[in-house]
Amino acid sequence: MARLPPVIAMAIALGAAAPPGHLKPLGHHQPPVAPIDQRDSFPDPASFYREYVRPRVPLLIKGGAKDQPGYELWSDEYLTRNYGRALVEVEEGKKEDRDQGLWTWRLVHFLRQYHGDMYSVSAVPIEMRHEYNFPRSLNCPAYTNQMAQLNHWFSSGGTVSVLHADSFENINCLLDGEKQILMFSYNLTQEHLHWDHRPNHGHSAVDPDSVDMIKFPGFQDLEYWRVDMHKGDCLFIPVGWYHQVRSGRPGERNLGINIWFHTPDVDAEQCTDPSTPLPVSAAEFHGQEFPLEQELEEDPEDEDMYLEHKMSYEQLDLEEEEQDYLKQAVHDEH
């Protein structure tokens, strides 16, 4: 009689006694540990370094993005009218699979299509960057000289990432939608998390939608922190912390902006509290990769839609100016 593969034999032997969370989404094996630190505003740059960056402590800033210009401005209509010709990268599928396709579209084309099974993870176009400021905690040369990448994470919700870690410090701000982040300590080893070392992967091999606790026993007693982000919240993820992200309910607009930066040196402790906001356009992001024009997949309807939106809004602007002029004229008469 042929022998069963060890994994199947073990599963049969366990039967109803399968480990908690077996074949369920990541995080169902046990409750999360205590909540991470939370503040109602960003700390000053020096305190941020001492209390969070240097000791590698995560931080949730409730409402930390609500004073961003882009928080109010960046509707789909506004982005189409003002930045429709900008280039963005688009990934195939809302569930992260690093073997899937990647293509370049104009932003206007993505905004027409993004309610489908796709996700844009792309460098924020240069022409948009004056409408996004450094958070207070980063508004100091000790940080702004260490910038790596500025990206948007744009979808219609329902995205699922792999469990991974970044080689940068990370501040992620949510301008629209919700996110759920499961965080695992940087002290864990890749072997403990059953790492996939194949080229273009570099993440846990576990399926975040259905964790096989028998095949991946390292997850059975794994402690984790859960963070629920809402529109306007920001999250600091220290370098090396493992995390897995879900972005809201399917069908709901979800837009996040993240800043990746290198760990500043001890000079950050000497930073003073900034007196004025600093747009990210004022800094150089070392290592930023932008979509290339020669990779663009063009659609003739994109230009038509861009021009249609631009003309309609220009007409609205003229009408508003005319109304303002008439109101002022009436006021002057009285």
Side-chain angles (χ1 to χ4, degrees):
M1 181 178 177
R3 295 182 63 185
L4 293 172
V7 170
I8 297 177
M10 186 181 298
I12 294 173
L14 286 169
H22 180 56
L23 301 183
K24 294 181 179 180
L26 186 63
H28 279 62
H29 62 293
Q30 64 185 37
V33 296
I36 67 167
D37 280 11
Q38 179 176 311
R39 290 189 177 216
D40 293 328
S41 61
F42 277 98
D44 66 82
S47 298
F48 181 58
Y49 179 79
R50 286 193 303 269
E51 298 174 29
Y52 298 101
V53 176
R54 186 167 60 190
R56 299 169 80 172
V57 174
L59 174 65
L60 176 65
I61 305 94
K62 297 297 294 180
K66 290 186 176 181
D67 60 353
Q68 287 286 350
Y71 180 81
E72 296 292 343
L73 291 175
W74 288 351
S75 65
D76 288 358
E77 293 78 12
Y78 181 89
L79 293 175
T80 298
R81 173 169 52 124
N82 291 279
Y83 308 115
R85 288 195 177 104
L87 302 182
V88 296
E89 290 184 332
V90 183
E91 297 181 3
E92 181 181 359
K94 289 186 176 182
K95 184 172 182 178
E96 184 176 6
D97 181 347
R98 297 184 181 180
D99 291 324
Q100 290 282 67
L102 179 73
W103 56 86
T104 297
W105 281 349
R106 294 201 185 279
L107 181 56
V108 63
H109 186 62
F110 174 74
L111 292 170
R112 286 198 294 123
Q113 303 289 339
Y114 78 96
H115 290 283
D117 189 21
M118 64 188 68
Y119 193 13
S120 179
V121 181
S122 186
V124 174
I126 290 291
E127 54 266 45
M128 291 175 57
R129 296 188 175 203
H130 67 286
E131 294 176 344
Y132 195 83
N133 296 328
F134 282 109
R136 174 192 180 199
S137 298
L138 301 185
N139 190 351
C140 173
Y143 293 96
T144 58
N145 291 336
Q146 299 294 328
M147 291 297 115
Q149 296 184 35
L150 178 74
N151 302 308
H152 77 217
W153 305 72
F154 203 159
S155 74
S156 58
T159 66
V160 181
S161 82
V162 293
L163 176 60
H164 64 287
D166 299 321
S167 56
F168 304 108
E169 312 284 358
N170 184 2
I171 290 183
N172 193 311
C173 291
L174 193 56
L175 304 187
D176 210 351
E178 299 178 346
K179 286 187 186 292
Q180 178 199 91
I181 300 94
L182 302 185
M183 301 183 64
F184 300 80
S185 174
Y186 65 88
N187 287 317
L188 294 169
T189 65
Q190 293 182 353
E191 288 70 26
H192 197 107
L193 298 176
H194 302 278
W195 216 244
D196 184 343
H197 293 283
R198 289 177 297 160
N200 198 39
H201 284 263
H203 56 79
S204 174
V206 72
D207 180 351
D209 283 334
S210 180
V211 181
D212 191 327
M213 291 292 182
I214 298 168
K215 183 178 180 181
F216 304 114
F219 282 85
Q220 291 183 17
D221 300 309
L222 204 58
E223 288 189 338
Y224 68 96
W225 290 255
R226 172 175 165 162
V227 181
D228 292 307
M229 295 181 67
H230 302 279
K231 181 178 179 178
D233 293 345
C234 296
L235 176 65
F236 169 57
I237 304 176
V239 62
W241 273 76
Y242 302 95
H243 52 284
Q244 189 269 325
V245 185
R246 296 179 184 273
S247 62
R249 292 183 290 272
E252 296 185 357
R253 186 177 189 263
N254 202 283
L255 173 59
I257 303 293
N258 92 290
I259 298 175
W260 273 328
F261 58 100
H262 299 284
T263 307
D265 58 30
V266 71
D267 288 347
E269 286 192 288
Q270 308 305 317
C271 286
T272 57
D273 203 6
S275 58
T276 57
L278 180 69
V280 295
S281 57
E284 182 178 355
F285 284 75
H286 307 277
Q288 185 79 75
E289 296 181 2
F290 292 94
L292 301 175
E293 190 81 29
Q294 56 264 37
E295 298 172 351
L296 175 65
E297 296 184 15
E298 195 76 83
D299 185 333
E301 293 184 15
D302 294 346
E303 186 69 10
D304 294 339
M305 184 176 181
Y306 168 75
L307 292 174
E308 179 183 338
H309 275 71
K310 191 170 183 63
M311 290 172 65
S312 64
Y313 276 96
E314 286 175 349
Q315 181 62 36
L316 285 174
D317 290 341
L318 288 172
E319 291 174 0
E320 289 177 0
E321 288 178 8
E322 183 177 350
Q323 290 294 325
D324 290 342
Y325 175 80
L326 291 174
K327 288 178 182 178
Q328 186 63 43
V330 170
H331 179 269
D332 292 343
E333 287 180 2
H334 292 80

